[in-house]
Amino acid sequence: MEFEPVIGLEVHAQLLTASKMFCGCSADYAGAPPNTHVCPVCLGMPGSLPVINRAAVEYTILTALAFHCAIPEFAKFDRKNYHYPDLMKGYQISQYDLPLSRDGYVVIDDAGATKRIGIRRVHLEEDTAKLFHADGASLIDVNRAGVPLMEIVSEPEMHSVEEARLYSIKLRQILRYLGVCSGDMEKGAMRFEANISLRPKGSRDLSQTRVEIKNLNSLRAMVHATEFEIARQTKILNAGGRVEQETMGWDEARNTTYTQRSKEEAHDYRYFPEPDLPRLQIARDWVAELGARLPELPDEKRERLISALGLSAYDASVITAEREVAAYYDRAVEAGKARGVDAKAIANWVTGELFRLMKETNAEIGAVKIAPEQIPDLPALVSAGTISNTIAKNVFEEMFKSGQDARAIIAAKGLAQISDRGALQAIVEKVLAENPKPVAEYLGGKETIARFLVGQVMKATKGQANPGMVNELVAEALSKMK
Ligand SMILES: [Zn+2]
């Protein structure tokens, strides 16, 4: 029988707030010595009291609005009770039945076909401490405990690994556009959990036994674990077996899932309202104010680049992939407007030469020395005939290295295009004299060889000759010989 996977994802995203979720400790703990970003609250000391971080609530609502979620009038925090050494209080403050948002969606683009993936809820909780197991001992670093953690729960509406991958990329892109999460998976800022079941292809049934895979710390781990689990369940079902409901972990090194706990041991978290925190009343004007703060999001930006600026879908996608790149491009276009430089010409330079050099030097857009306002210089200088397109690429490379102005580089290196008819004519005559054989072939009827002669003239001028003029002069000189 043919099966179709049913995949739901839970994404945990650390919020970029200055302080932790319920105390004043700095949430920027990356690289800090262990257990230095701690206080009685995040250490879980008896008698300490939590205080809600307003910025974290705002970031969560902002994210929920970007995912078209409904924001209820009331929300509350609940205690999720379980015992694990990384949980300082013996419970996690999370949200159970009254989350900050519900019922949204995100649009993914799977090879040109767009699809809405439902977002069940976006809620807020706190991160746990971090355990290290070494030399037969377990060590704990509490710096991470209490860092605001947003949980984005999708509906089980993805039906291929590719859809799950695209959904995750889109989520990360939007979080980075909003500036609420770094999306840095190497530092654990974004983690995944996947729910996977299989159903007969064509069925609408959602009652199949789901397997949950936890601890997926990268996009790659999520993709590999999901692929592995689909294959494992397919094998069981094809052999007439039954998939057990269980929670699994992912062993990255061995590329396999393993059982963490089976249904019989499933935890009862004994959720109950957090008695130390008030219920949150979410005023409508607060939501409206946050809505007004939403930046132009990737889909809108991409659409604008296509419809208003005439970019290809491909160029628009690569330019809007990162907010910083899109902002860079917008600034370049703005600077080009005043000088009559077309947005498409600027896109060509950005997606072509700039991306190539960034890739070669492993540079982020923030480290690029060419200011966006300098980009329109190149297409402007090419269309004015000051430099050829080939020379422009060399100039661009110099600009990338030094941040110098295009004109300064052209002047310093004497790269300006030779459009002096007399000077070029002399070079053409010299080249023809030095190439008697091709000239003879041309006169014998092989007219395509004129291109070779043009190439020789360009070479003799180190590419600086005005190519249109060279074409003209070569044709003229040859026709005179006939
Ligand atoms: Zn603290």
Side-chain angles (χ1 to χ4, degrees):
M1 195 191 285
E2 241 198 291
F3 296 101
E4 173 185 64
V6 178
I7 306 167
L9 288 176
E10 290 174 19
V11 176
H12 285 101
Q14 284 185 336
L15 294 176
L16 285 170
T17 51
S19 58
K20 290 188 181 180
M21 189 59 229
F22 300 112
C23 62
C25 293
S26 164
D28 184 13
Y29 64 88
N35 303 313
T36 52
H37 289 227
V38 295
C39 73
V41 173
C42 56
L43 281 166
M45 297 288 186
S48 64
L49 288 172
V51 176
I52 298 170
N53 182 332
R54 183 187 174 101
V57 173
E58 293 194 337
Y59 280 3
T60 304
I61 295 175
L62 197 65
T63 305
L65 291 173
F67 294 143
H68 317 276
C69 290
I71 312 296
E73 304 252 2
F74 290 99
K76 72 173 164 70
F77 287 98
D78 301 273
R79 284 190 186 181
K80 181 181 182 179
N81 298 278
Y82 65 98
H83 295 283
Y84 199 71
D86 65 3
L87 197 60
M88 305 316 292
K89 300 187 287 292
Y91 60 84
Q92 179 189 32
I93 304 180
S94 181
Q95 296 195 277
Y96 185 52
D97 55 343
L98 290 176
L100 279 165
S101 70
R102 293 177 190 280
D103 302 328
Y105 65 87
V106 65
V107 178
I108 59 167
D109 185 341
D110 190 354
T114 56
K115 183 181 172 184
R116 265 188 195 198
I117 307 292
I119 304 265
R120 184 174 294 170
R121 57 194 277 166
V122 181
H123 74 239
L124 192 51
E125 56 191 35
E126 56 180 335
D127 212 340
T128 57
K130 210 168 175 186
L131 292 172
F132 298 89
H133 308 284
D135 303 329
S138 290
L139 302 167
I140 188 160
D141 178 4
V142 186
N143 286 350
R144 193 179 73 178
V147 167
L149 200 61
M150 186 166 66
E151 184 171 333
I152 304 158
V153 184
S154 85
E155 295 293 348
E157 292 178 350
M158 288 162 270
H159 300 294
S160 68
V161 176
E162 179 61 5
E163 283 186 3
R165 193 183 70 87
L166 292 169
Y167 169 85
S168 307
I169 290 173
K170 194 58 170 289
L171 234 57
R172 178 173 183 274
Q173 188 189 25
I174 292 173
L175 297 185
R176 283 173 55 81
Y177 260 70
L178 294 171
V180 299
C181 172
S182 71
D184 192 340
M185 294 183 225
E186 274 169 31
K187 290 187 182 145
M190 234 179 124
R191 282 117 62 187
F192 304 86
E193 285 176 28
N195 291 305
I196 302 157
S197 63
L198 293 186
R199 65 184 178 194
K201 208 175 168 108
S203 153
R204 299 284 106 203
D205 193 3
L206 282 174
S207 64
Q208 275 75 23
T209 310
R210 298 183 319 162
V211 168
E212 192 177 333
I213 309 176
K214 289 190 173 289
N215 313 332
L216 301 170
N217 293 331
S218 68
L219 191 60
R220 206 182 54 158
M222 188 277 289
V223 165
H224 287 172
T226 309
E227 277 169 353
F228 178 90
E229 186 55 25
I230 290 170
R232 189 187 73 87
Q233 291 187 24
T234 304
K235 208 168 148 192
I236 292 172
L237 294 175
N238 277 333
R242 205 165 58 97
V243 174
E244 296 295 329
Q245 180 184 325
E246 55 188 338
T247 300
M248 303 186 111
W250 174 244
D251 186 331
E252 180 95 60
R254 288 170 49 229
N255 208 45
T256 179
T257 49
Y258 59 90
T259 300
Q260 277 194 330
R261 41 184 193 247
S262 61
K263 191 188 175 185
E264 290 73 41
E265 301 166 61
H267 281 60
D268 170 11
Y269 291 120
R270 293 185 299 112
Y271 277 103
F272 62 84
E274 169 57 58
D276 291 337
L277 291 173
R279 246 158 66 124
L280 273 176
Q281 185 178 352
I282 309 164
R284 297 300 90 185
D285 53 357
W286 189 23
V287 176
E289 186 200 307
L290 289 167
R293 247 201 255 171
L294 278 178
E296 187 182 36
L297 292 168
D299 286 346
E300 298 159 38
K301 207 178 257 290
R302 183 174 172 274
E303 195 41 52
R304 175 172 62 81
L305 262 45
I306 294 170
S307 59
L309 300 181
L311 299 200
S312 68
Y314 173 80
D315 279 355
S317 294
V318 292
I319 287 173
T320 55
E322 293 284 344
R323 183 175 71 161
E324 290 77 7
V325 174
Y328 183 98
Y329 174 73
D330 276 343
R331 277 172 62 189
V333 169
E334 200 50 44
K337 243 187 222 167
R339 306 167 52 187
V341 177
D342 179 44
K344 273 194 271 186
I346 291 169
N348 287 342
W349 280 98
V350 170
T351 61
E353 291 305 291
L354 183 64
F355 281 7
R356 179 180 70 79
L357 292 166
M358 280 169 66
K359 201 170 170 191
E360 273 177 25
T361 56
N362 215 359
E364 296 280 335
I365 192 82
V368 168
K369 288 181 182 159
I370 306 177
E373 290 75 15
Q374 288 177 298
I375 298 279
D377 285 345
L378 293 144
L381 289 164
V382 171
S383 65
T386 312
I387 47 173
S388 68
N389 210 38
T390 315
I391 297 285
K393 285 184 182 170
N394 298 338
V395 171
F396 193 83
E397 207 159 331
E398 280 300 315
M399 291 168 75
F400 189 82
K401 275 185 211 149
S402 65
Q404 256 193 309
D405 228 46
R407 276 190 186 73
I409 294 166
I410 293 164
K413 300 207 160 191
L415 293 173
Q417 185 158 280
I418 308 167
S419 296
D420 177 340
R421 221 179 161 83
L424 283 179
Q425 199 150 21
I427 298 166
V428 168
E429 274 162 21
K430 188 167 171 270
V431 166
L432 295 190
E434 283 167 357
N435 290 280
K437 212 174 146 224
V439 171
E441 279 178 44
Y442 176 87
L443 296 173
K446 196 181 170 191
E447 299 203 345
T448 49
I449 207 141
R451 251 185 283 146
F452 167 78
L453 293 164
V454 168
Q456 292 304 106
V457 175
M458 293 307 293
K459 207 169 145 191
T461 60
K462 297 194 181 75
Q464 282 171 250
N466 178 327
M469 204 174 273
V470 172
N471 263 315
E472 222 173 274
L473 290 169
V474 168
E476 220 174 85
L478 287 170
S479 72
K480 272 187 205 154
M481 290 176 167
K482 270 187 187 166

mmCIF file of all heavy atoms in Angstrom, residues 75-80 93-102 121 123-125 268-273:
data_model
loop_
_atom_site.group_PDB
_atom_site.id
_atom_site.type_symbol
_atom_site.label_atom_id
_atom_site.label_comp_id
_atom_site.label_asym_id
_atom_site.label_seq_id
_atom_site.Cartn_x
_atom_site.Cartn_y
_atom_site.Cartn_z
ATOM 1 N N ALA A 75 -4.925 35.781 28.447
ATOM 2 C CA ALA A 75 -3.985 34.670 28.363
ATOM 3 C C ALA A 75 -3.480 34.407 29.770
ATOM 4 O O ALA A 75 -3.586 35.274 30.648
ATOM 5 C CB ALA A 75 -2.832 35.030 27.438
ATOM 6 N N LYS A 76 -2.970 33.208 29.987
ATOM 7 C CA LYS A 76 -2.389 32.958 31.309
ATOM 8 C C LYS A 76 -1.194 32.027 31.186
ATOM 9 O O LYS A 76 -0.990 31.379 30.160
ATOM 10 C CB LYS A 76 -3.429 32.386 32.271
ATOM 11 C CG LYS A 76 -3.843 30.958 32.007
ATOM 12 C CD LYS A 76 -4.743 30.475 33.141
ATOM 13 C CE LYS A 76 -5.509 29.208 32.774
ATOM 14 N NZ LYS A 76 -4.695 28.007 32.654
ATOM 15 N N PHE A 77 -0.421 32.008 32.245
ATOM 16 C CA PHE A 77 0.716 31.093 32.321
ATOM 17 C C PHE A 77 0.341 29.923 33.228
ATOM 18 O O PHE A 77 -0.443 30.088 34.171
ATOM 19 C CB PHE A 77 1.947 31.818 32.875
ATOM 20 C CG PHE A 77 2.554 32.771 31.877
ATOM 21 C CD1 PHE A 77 2.260 34.129 31.923
ATOM 22 C CD2 PHE A 77 3.394 32.305 30.874
ATOM 23 C CE1 PHE A 77 2.801 35.013 30.997
ATOM 24 C CE2 PHE A 77 3.936 33.177 29.946
ATOM 25 C CZ PHE A 77 3.646 34.533 30.002
ATOM 26 N N ASP A 78 0.884 28.760 32.895
ATOM 27 C CA ASP A 78 0.591 27.560 33.673
ATOM 28 C C ASP A 78 1.881 26.852 34.053
ATOM 29 O O ASP A 78 2.907 27.013 33.397
ATOM 30 C CB ASP A 78 -0.268 26.592 32.840
ATOM 31 C CG ASP A 78 -1.565 27.213 32.408
ATOM 32 O OD1 ASP A 78 -2.537 27.142 33.172
ATOM 33 O OD2 ASP A 78 -1.596 27.790 31.291
ATOM 34 N N ARG A 79 1.769 26.051 35.094
ATOM 35 C CA ARG A 79 2.925 25.240 35.481
ATOM 36 C C ARG A 79 2.836 23.881 34.780
ATOM 37 O O ARG A 79 1.818 23.203 34.854
ATOM 38 C CB ARG A 79 2.931 25.009 36.998
ATOM 39 C CG ARG A 79 3.389 26.225 37.743
ATOM 40 C CD ARG A 79 3.630 25.900 39.209
ATOM 41 N NE ARG A 79 3.929 27.149 39.903
ATOM 42 C CZ ARG A 79 4.208 27.222 41.199
ATOM 43 N NH1 ARG A 79 4.215 26.116 41.946
ATOM 44 N NH2 ARG A 79 4.483 28.386 41.755
ATOM 45 N N LYS A 80 3.920 23.529 34.138
ATOM 46 C CA LYS A 80 4.017 22.214 33.511
ATOM 47 C C LYS A 80 4.990 21.431 34.389
ATOM 48 O O LYS A 80 6.179 21.749 34.435
ATOM 49 C CB LYS A 80 4.558 22.396 32.093
ATOM 50 C CG LYS A 80 4.687 21.126 31.288
ATOM 51 C CD LYS A 80 5.266 21.472 29.902
ATOM 52 C CE LYS A 80 5.367 20.242 29.044
ATOM 53 N NZ LYS A 80 5.901 20.560 27.696
ATOM 54 N N ILE A 93 7.357 27.136 33.620
ATOM 55 C CA ILE A 93 6.217 28.033 33.408
ATOM 56 C C ILE A 93 5.990 28.109 31.901
ATOM 57 O O ILE A 93 6.872 28.497 31.137
ATOM 58 C CB ILE A 93 6.446 29.437 34.007
ATOM 59 C CG1 ILE A 93 6.766 29.328 35.507
ATOM 60 C CG2 ILE A 93 5.213 30.315 33.778
ATOM 61 C CD1 ILE A 93 7.006 30.670 36.196
ATOM 62 N N SER A 94 4.798 27.653 31.493
ATOM 63 C CA SER A 94 4.452 27.597 30.075
ATOM 64 C C SER A 94 3.017 28.101 29.927
ATOM 65 O O SER A 94 2.495 28.753 30.835
ATOM 66 C CB SER A 94 4.598 26.144 29.592
ATOM 67 O OG SER A 94 4.287 26.046 28.225
ATOM 68 N N GLN A 95 2.403 27.816 28.808
ATOM 69 C CA GLN A 95 0.996 28.203 28.630
ATOM 70 C C GLN A 95 0.219 26.979 28.195
ATOM 71 O O GLN A 95 0.667 26.260 27.289
ATOM 72 C CB GLN A 95 0.872 29.308 27.583
ATOM 73 C CG GLN A 95 1.550 30.591 28.005
ATOM 74 C CD GLN A 95 1.093 31.747 27.138
ATOM 75 O OE1 GLN A 95 1.604 31.949 26.053
ATOM 76 N NE2 GLN A 95 0.109 32.485 27.624
ATOM 77 N N TYR A 96 -0.915 26.735 28.825
ATOM 78 C CA TYR A 96 -1.670 25.524 28.525
ATOM 79 C C TYR A 96 -2.932 25.833 27.712
ATOM 80 O O TYR A 96 -2.898 25.811 26.496
ATOM 81 C CB TYR A 96 -1.976 24.791 29.831
ATOM 82 C CG TYR A 96 -2.645 23.466 29.640
ATOM 83 C CD1 TYR A 96 -2.108 22.501 28.791
ATOM 84 C CD2 TYR A 96 -3.845 23.158 30.309
ATOM 85 C CE1 TYR A 96 -2.739 21.284 28.612
ATOM 86 C CE2 TYR A 96 -4.470 21.942 30.140
ATOM 87 C CZ TYR A 96 -3.920 21.008 29.284
ATOM 88 O OH TYR A 96 -4.548 19.804 29.107
ATOM 89 N N ASP A 97 -4.010 26.208 28.396
ATOM 90 C CA ASP A 97 -5.276 26.360 27.667
ATOM 91 C C ASP A 97 -5.594 27.789 27.236
ATOM 92 O O ASP A 97 -6.529 28.001 26.478
ATOM 93 C CB ASP A 97 -6.437 25.776 28.491
ATOM 94 C CG ASP A 97 -6.507 26.378 29.888
ATOM 95 O OD1 ASP A 97 -5.495 26.981 30.316
ATOM 96 O OD2 ASP A 97 -7.550 26.262 30.544
ATOM 97 N N LEU A 98 -4.830 28.773 27.729
ATOM 98 C CA LEU A 98 -5.071 30.148 27.280
ATOM 99 C C LEU A 98 -3.767 30.758 26.755
ATOM 100 O O LEU A 98 -3.160 31.611 27.398
ATOM 101 C CB LEU A 98 -5.631 31.016 28.427
ATOM 102 C CG LEU A 98 -7.053 30.736 28.920
ATOM 103 C CD1 LEU A 98 -7.386 31.623 30.125
ATOM 104 C CD2 LEU A 98 -8.069 30.972 27.815
ATOM 105 N N PRO A 99 -3.331 30.304 25.587
ATOM 106 C CA PRO A 99 -2.074 30.813 25.028
ATOM 107 C C PRO A 99 -2.240 32.242 24.511
ATOM 108 O O PRO A 99 -3.365 32.740 24.405
ATOM 109 C CB PRO A 99 -1.783 29.854 23.884
ATOM 110 C CG PRO A 99 -3.132 29.386 23.439
ATOM 111 C CD PRO A 99 -3.990 29.348 24.678
ATOM 112 N N LEU A 100 -1.137 32.872 24.175
ATOM 113 C CA LEU A 100 -1.182 34.258 23.684
ATOM 114 C C LEU A 100 -1.796 34.381 22.295
ATOM 115 O O LEU A 100 -2.155 35.484 21.876
ATOM 116 C CB LEU A 100 0.240 34.843 23.667
ATOM 117 C CG LEU A 100 0.757 35.349 25.020
ATOM 118 C CD1 LEU A 100 2.261 35.565 24.972
ATOM 119 C CD2 LEU A 100 0.053 36.643 25.412
ATOM 120 N N SER A 101 -1.878 33.261 21.556
ATOM 121 C CA SER A 101 -2.460 33.350 20.214
ATOM 122 C C SER A 101 -2.889 31.983 19.714
ATOM 123 O O SER A 101 -2.444 30.953 20.214
ATOM 124 C CB SER A 101 -1.422 33.921 19.247
ATOM 125 O OG SER A 101 -0.397 32.973 19.045
ATOM 126 N N ARG A 102 -3.755 32.009 18.700
ATOM 127 C CA ARG A 102 -4.262 30.776 18.091
ATOM 128 C C ARG A 102 -4.572 31.001 16.608
ATOM 129 O O ARG A 102 -4.776 32.117 16.165
ATOM 130 C CB ARG A 102 -5.630 30.395 18.679
ATOM 131 C CG ARG A 102 -5.670 29.989 20.095
ATOM 132 C CD ARG A 102 -7.140 29.736 20.467
ATOM 133 N NE ARG A 102 -7.296 29.569 21.905
ATOM 134 C CZ ARG A 102 -7.027 28.449 22.553
ATOM 135 N NH1 ARG A 102 -6.607 27.392 21.890
ATOM 136 N NH2 ARG A 102 -7.185 28.364 23.857
ATOM 137 N N ARG A 121 -0.991 27.483 17.351
ATOM 138 C CA ARG A 121 -0.790 28.479 18.412
ATOM 139 C C ARG A 121 0.666 28.922 18.467
ATOM 140 O O ARG A 121 1.560 28.201 18.039
ATOM 141 C CB ARG A 121 -1.194 27.901 19.770
ATOM 142 C CG ARG A 121 -0.430 26.614 20.113
ATOM 143 C CD ARG A 121 -1.065 25.875 21.261
ATOM 144 N NE ARG A 121 -0.618 26.432 22.548
ATOM 145 C CZ ARG A 121 -1.208 26.158 23.709
ATOM 146 N NH1 ARG A 121 -2.256 25.365 23.758
ATOM 147 N NH2 ARG A 121 -0.757 26.677 24.833
ATOM 148 N N HIS A 123 2.881 30.301 21.621
ATOM 149 C CA HIS A 123 2.821 30.652 23.042
ATOM 150 C C HIS A 123 4.213 30.877 23.608
ATOM 151 O O HIS A 123 5.220 30.728 22.909
ATOM 152 C CB HIS A 123 2.000 29.626 23.832
ATOM 153 C CG HIS A 123 2.680 28.322 24.065
ATOM 154 N ND1 HIS A 123 2.169 27.124 23.623
ATOM 155 C CD2 HIS A 123 3.837 28.017 24.704
ATOM 156 C CE1 HIS A 123 2.975 26.143 24.001
ATOM 157 N NE2 HIS A 123 4.002 26.658 24.647
ATOM 158 N N LEU A 124 4.214 31.246 24.881
ATOM 159 C CA LEU A 124 5.454 31.683 25.514
ATOM 160 C C LEU A 124 5.770 30.811 26.712
ATOM 161 O O LEU A 124 4.882 30.456 27.478
ATOM 162 C CB LEU A 124 5.253 33.145 25.937
ATOM 163 C CG LEU A 124 6.446 33.976 26.388
ATOM 164 C CD1 LEU A 124 7.581 33.914 25.391
ATOM 165 C CD2 LEU A 124 5.992 35.427 26.569
ATOM 166 N N GLU A 125 7.027 30.443 26.858
ATOM 167 C CA GLU A 125 7.452 29.692 28.043
ATOM 168 C C GLU A 125 8.892 30.053 28.356
ATOM 169 O O GLU A 125 9.413 31.036 27.828
ATOM 170 C CB GLU A 125 7.262 28.183 27.809
ATOM 171 C CG GLU A 125 7.973 27.656 26.585
ATOM 172 C CD GLU A 125 7.566 26.226 26.215
ATOM 173 O OE1 GLU A 125 6.387 25.860 26.404
ATOM 174 O OE2 GLU A 125 8.435 25.495 25.727
ATOM 175 N N ASP A 268 2.227 12.720 32.826
ATOM 176 C CA ASP A 268 1.098 13.588 33.074
ATOM 177 C C ASP A 268 1.713 14.853 33.660
ATOM 178 O O ASP A 268 2.291 14.823 34.738
ATOM 179 C CB ASP A 268 0.154 12.922 34.080
ATOM 180 C CG ASP A 268 -0.906 13.871 34.568
ATOM 181 O OD1 ASP A 268 -1.040 14.968 33.980
ATOM 182 O OD2 ASP A 268 -1.588 13.549 35.542
ATOM 183 N N TYR A 269 1.637 15.908 32.927
ATOM 184 C CA TYR A 269 2.326 17.132 33.345
ATOM 185 C C TYR A 269 1.607 17.879 34.466
ATOM 186 O O TYR A 269 2.117 18.841 34.995
ATOM 187 C CB TYR A 269 2.521 18.063 32.148
ATOM 188 C CG TYR A 269 3.507 17.550 31.129
ATOM 189 C CD1 TYR A 269 3.130 17.313 29.809
ATOM 190 C CD2 TYR A 269 4.828 17.311 31.488
ATOM 191 C CE1 TYR A 269 4.044 16.856 28.874
ATOM 192 C CE2 TYR A 269 5.748 16.848 30.562
ATOM 193 C CZ TYR A 269 5.350 16.628 29.254
ATOM 194 O OH TYR A 269 6.260 16.183 28.342
ATOM 195 N N ARG A 270 0.411 17.428 34.815
ATOM 196 C CA ARG A 270 -0.374 18.094 35.872
ATOM 197 C C ARG A 270 -0.322 19.621 35.718
ATOM 198 O O ARG A 270 0.111 20.347 36.600
ATOM 199 C CB ARG A 270 0.128 17.691 37.266
ATOM 200 C CG ARG A 270 -0.117 16.225 37.590
ATOM 201 C CD ARG A 270 0.290 15.895 39.009
ATOM 202 N NE ARG A 270 1.706 16.130 39.249
ATOM 203 C CZ ARG A 270 2.188 17.084 40.052
ATOM 204 N NH1 ARG A 270 1.366 17.876 40.705
ATOM 205 N NH2 ARG A 270 3.486 17.234 40.201
ATOM 206 N N TYR A 271 -0.739 20.081 34.558
ATOM 207 C CA TYR A 271 -0.784 21.533 34.330
ATOM 208 C C TYR A 271 -1.723 22.182 35.331
ATOM 209 O O TYR A 271 -2.798 21.644 35.609
ATOM 210 C CB TYR A 271 -1.354 21.811 32.938
ATOM 211 C CG TYR A 271 -0.376 21.726 31.799
ATOM 212 C CD1 TYR A 271 -0.365 20.613 30.953
ATOM 213 C CD2 TYR A 271 0.488 22.779 31.528
ATOM 214 C CE1 TYR A 271 0.508 20.556 29.872
ATOM 215 C CE2 TYR A 271 1.356 22.725 30.452
ATOM 216 C CZ TYR A 271 1.371 21.609 29.630
ATOM 217 O OH TYR A 271 2.217 21.561 28.573
ATOM 218 N N PHE A 272 -1.347 23.298 35.867
ATOM 219 C CA PHE A 272 -2.321 24.127 36.605
ATOM 220 C C PHE A 272 -1.861 25.579 36.513
ATOM 221 O O PHE A 272 -0.690 25.851 36.277
ATOM 222 C CB PHE A 272 -2.496 23.657 38.057
ATOM 223 C CG PHE A 272 -1.273 23.730 38.921
ATOM 224 C CD1 PHE A 272 -0.908 24.922 39.566
ATOM 225 C CD2 PHE A 272 -0.490 22.596 39.117
ATOM 226 C CE1 PHE A 272 0.213 24.968 40.381
ATOM 227 C CE2 PHE A 272 0.634 22.640 39.925
ATOM 228 C CZ PHE A 272 0.998 23.830 40.557
ATOM 229 N N PRO A 273 -2.803 26.523 36.675
ATOM 230 C CA PRO A 273 -2.456 27.949 36.502
ATOM 231 C C PRO A 273 -1.329 28.357 37.441
ATOM 232 O O PRO A 273 -1.348 27.988 38.615
ATOM 233 C CB PRO A 273 -3.743 28.680 36.853
ATOM 234 C CG PRO A 273 -4.822 27.669 36.657
ATOM 235 C CD PRO A 273 -4.216 26.334 37.002
#
